[in-house]
Amino acid sequence: MSRRLTIIGYHNVEGTHYFDAPAGQGTRGFRQQLQLLRRTMNVVELGTAVRAWGEGSDLPMRSICITFDDGYRDSLDVAAPLLERYSLPATFFLIPAFVSRESHAWWERLSWCVLGASASSLHWQDRVIPLGERQSRVDLVEELAADLKTLSRSERERAVEEMVEQLAPIGAPYREDLFLDWDQSRALVRRGFEVGSHSYRHAILARESATEQLDDLTRSKKLLEDELDAPIEGVAYPNGEHGDFTNETFDALRGAGYTHAVTTIPGLNRRTSPPFELRRVVISPATGPRGLLEGLARTWKPRRT
């Protein structure tokens, strides 16, 4: 038996405006990654693992959890059938405002408007940024995303919509069907998959006030439980890096009734790990077995003492 737990995280499987990949590459790579996990690891459900530790039990050797953030539609169309094919559990962290179509995913809107911009330049933070060929635009998306993450949720969403208006994207329209709706989310639950919260509107929680954090997390949990008729115990922090959650966030999680939360900070988890700071490594399905192994190597790297 083991006292260690690895958690891996995904977003989409197939390509999107932001997560670009050739058609079919994500599905093929994800299938190969699942085959490797099935042969070499013991895949356990995240909630089950957390409860086992809470009861003082150990986990199977080489225990690992599979998680998905954001609720992309191919969680149901692509990921779920492959997980079922290999009899592997997974946890899907959903954003109610995306499921309800109240809000857009700001990073997807950003990528779509920059890559498809008809304007020749962008006015941003007292700068005029020329828009060049595709690779320079891809690089610009990452630069802008880093800047936007320093803002509050409302400021970030407003800034992106101002860019959409300024850049006047042409070509392929924005994909309104990127994310699950309520019926599709219920289908995930009916198929036996665990669901958690990824905040109500994908707010980077530490950028919000203590009151706003509690309201967001409480609202997300209640709506997900009401709509899906399933317990919501866990949270995946939006962005999830150091500084994206604080002690105020932990207080809000406890106040809203959650039992655990996962970050995007690579590392191994142990029974003594703080339940609201569980380590997790993010993997791209398009990278196939090599990408999975590289991610696991980052997770299992010995800690400096």
Side-chain angles (χ1 to χ4, degrees):
M1 303 299 284
S2 175
R3 297 183 180 181
R4 302 191 303 178
L5 175 66
T6 302
I7 306 174
I8 60 175
Y10 295 93
H11 293 98
N12 56 305
V13 179
E14 283 295 302
T16 71
H17 299 298
Y18 183 80
F19 298 106
D20 190 28
Q25 182 173 329
T27 299
R28 181 172 59 255
F30 185 58
R31 181 175 60 249
Q32 293 168 341
Q33 289 172 349
L34 293 185
Q35 290 170 344
L36 179 59
L37 290 173
R38 178 64 188 270
R39 290 196 308 269
T40 62
M41 305 291 287
N42 282 305
V43 181
V44 297
E45 186 181 74
L46 177 60
T48 300
V50 171
R51 286 190 293 274
W53 271 350
E55 295 166 359
S57 302
D58 287 336
L59 301 175
M61 293 296 294
R62 302 185 304 280
S63 286
I64 191 167
C65 298
I66 299 171
T67 67
F68 277 83
D69 288 0
D70 302 328
Y72 280 93
R73 180 170 176 169
D74 61 15
S75 293
L76 179 66
D77 297 342
V78 182
L82 287 171
L83 289 161
E84 290 169 334
R85 177 176 177 180
Y86 297 106
S87 301
L88 300 177
T91 302
F92 294 86
F93 293 101
L94 306 183
I95 305 164
F98 290 7
V99 182
S100 300
R101 305 300 191 254
E102 296 175 37
S103 299
H104 291 296
W106 65 268
W107 60 95
E108 294 286 355
R109 293 280 286 176
L110 172 67
S111 186
W112 168 71
C113 77
V114 171
L115 296 183
S118 61
S120 60
S121 60
L122 170 67
H123 294 257
W124 170 247
Q125 294 183 336
D126 300 323
R127 293 187 294 156
V128 178
I129 306 172
L131 299 179
E133 299 302 318
R134 180 177 176 82
Q135 187 55 54
S136 66
R137 295 189 183 203
V138 169
D139 295 340
L140 177 59
V141 168
E142 293 304 316
E143 177 186 341
L144 294 171
D147 289 342
L148 289 164
K149 288 177 182 179
T150 66
L151 306 178
S152 70
R153 177 195 58 78
S154 59
E155 292 170 331
R156 182 166 50 251
E157 292 179 356
R158 184 166 56 250
V160 170
E161 292 310 311
E162 289 173 356
M163 290 183 195
V164 170
E165 182 175 355
Q166 182 185 157
L167 296 178
I170 56 176
Y174 180 75
R175 291 181 57 187
E176 299 285 355
D177 65 343
L178 277 174
F179 296 90
L180 299 169
D181 61 23
W182 284 118
D183 286 340
Q184 293 160 344
S185 300
R186 293 185 192 100
L188 270 181
V189 174
R190 286 196 302 271
R191 292 167 78 158
F193 292 105
E194 183 181 50
V195 171
S197 167
H198 197 33
S199 84
Y200 190 85
R201 293 183 184 274
H202 203 274
I204 298 178
L205 293 165
R207 309 290 186 272
E208 312 297 316
S209 71
T211 300
E212 289 168 333
Q213 291 185 58
L214 178 58
D215 177 71
D216 180 291
L217 292 167
T218 301
R219 189 178 179 192
S220 179
K221 179 177 170 68
K222 184 178 188 308
L223 186 56
L224 288 170
E225 289 182 336
D226 289 348
E227 290 287 345
L228 304 181
D229 192 25
I232 303 298
E233 299 176 338
V235 166
Y237 295 118
N239 210 50
E241 298 178 353
H242 291 291
D244 294 334
F245 48 89
T246 64
N247 288 332
E248 287 183 339
T249 311
F250 303 154
D251 290 340
L253 287 165
R254 283 186 285 266
Y258 295 96
T259 62
H260 57 280
V262 295
T263 69
T264 58
I265 305 167
L268 275 171
N269 299 286
R270 295 167 175 79
R271 190 188 297 173
T272 55
S273 297
F276 292 147
E277 299 178 74
L278 296 177
R279 299 300 194 243
R280 181 175 60 149
V281 65
V282 177
I283 305 291
S284 168
T287 59
R290 179 174 180 176
L292 174 61
L293 291 172
E294 290 174 348
L296 294 178
R298 294 197 304 275
T299 295
W300 297 339
K301 183 179 180 179
R303 294 182 300 177
R304 293 181 180 178
T305 57

